[in-house]
Structure formats: C-alpha cells, structure tokens
Amino acid sequence: MTLRIRPLDPGDTQPVVDLALRAWAPVFASSRAILGDLIFERLHGDWREYQERAVRAELVADGVRCWVAEVDGTVAGFVTVAVADPVRRIGEVGMIAVDPDQQNLGVGLALTDFAVARIGEAGMQIAMINTGGDEGHAPARRVYEKAGFTQLPIVYEFKAL
C-alpha cells in the first residue's frame, strides 16, 4: 500500500463527497437509532443531501485547508483544518473521513497526524477535534485516542417541538 497525502484538487470534490457519505453512513444510522425518526428528520432531513452540502461547503470555506489521502493513486480519505481560536491558539480538525474500503489500514491515523502537524505549523498550541459518543463514531474515537487526543465528554440534548 502506497499512501500519499496531498492538497485537495478541484477534481477531488466528487470522490471526497462520495467517500464521506459511505464513511458516515454508520454515523447517521447510529444517530437515527438514538434520536428517533422525528428528531433525526428535523435535524437532517435526507441525511445524504444534508451531508453532501456540508462537505462541499467545508471544502471551499474561508480559512479552511483540505488535503486528501491517496492509496495507490485513488482518493481514500480527506481532512480539513482551520484556526478555531487565534487568541487561545486552537486549531481544529473540521472534517475527516476514510473510505470504508480503506479503513483499518492506518489512513485515518495518518490523516489525523498530518492535520495536527499542519495545525502546529500554523502556530497553534492546541489541536481539537470533535466526534460523537455513539457507536457509529467509535472507530473515529479509537483513531483520535491513538493520535494522542484527550476526550472531554459533552452532551447535547434534543427535544422535538
């Protein structure tokens, strides 16, 4: 396996969107199971449309930098970073996803480590990333733990009105 991380090219957008939707399908299924259909639908509608818009917006957002991981010449994952708080010198990994066919091969950890290095090069003193506490996010939490992140549990509460 040959892994290379490089800046996002315009032609990478659709492959990145496609792999993100495949990678995050278990996350949205887990969220639906926890929240129930009513709250889930009100939050996301069609989660695939919602998430595609979110990924496309992230890739072109001001102040966001994006890289893709290629495995043997094929886009296998992506990561975005930005300065979250310049005063406190906090950088954030905004989005990260690995194609399910490339998971458990070290691509996620390589992207996470790469992003953290870019955050440090930007003069930040803290790197942060957020993820869910549900089963759908468990693989991501394992990667972030391997990368040396410290978890701070945060609870969001939802109620349909």
Side-chain angles (χ1 to χ4, degrees):
M1 175 179 92
T2 303
L3 173 66
R4 178 173 82 113
I5 299 175
R6 61 166 175 77
L8 176 82
D9 289 331
D12 296 325
T13 300
Q14 193 61 51
V16 162
V17 168
D18 293 343
L19 77 84
L21 294 178
R22 287 191 304 274
W24 293 330
V27 168
F28 283 95
S30 179
S31 294
R32 181 184 289 274
I34 292 167
L35 295 170
D37 290 337
L38 179 62
I39 293 174
F40 184 87
E41 293 291 330
R42 288 183 180 178
L43 285 173
H44 306 298
D46 177 338
W47 77 264
R48 290 181 189 281
E49 290 177 12
Y50 164 83
Q51 198 60 31
E52 179 171 350
R53 283 191 309 273
V55 171
R56 289 181 183 280
E58 179 82 355
L59 297 180
V60 298
D62 288 341
V64 173
R65 296 174 62 200
C66 182
W67 295 269
V68 297
E70 285 183 341
V71 172
D72 299 329
T74 300
V75 175
F78 79 104
V79 65
T80 66
V81 300
V83 172
D85 185 330
V87 174
R88 295 188 300 160
R89 296 170 56 189
I90 301 171
E92 181 175 14
V93 178
M95 285 188 176
I96 185 168
V98 175
D99 191 297
D101 293 338
Q102 300 295 327
Q103 291 177 2
N104 301 309
L105 300 175
V107 177
L109 183 58
L111 281 167
T112 303
D113 288 343
F114 183 89
V116 169
R118 302 298 77 76
I119 289 168
E121 289 170 1
M124 301 297 103
Q125 292 183 337
I126 295 174
M128 88 174 175
I129 192 166
N130 68 66
T131 192
D134 59 294
E135 188 57 35
H137 285 93
R141 290 193 308 275
R142 285 191 293 276
V143 168
Y144 307 148
E145 182 178 305
K146 285 180 188 176
F149 281 83
T150 300
Q151 187 181 100
L152 172 66
I154 296 175
V155 176
Y156 290 96
E157 302 281 344
F158 295 92
K159 180 179 179 176
L161 304 176

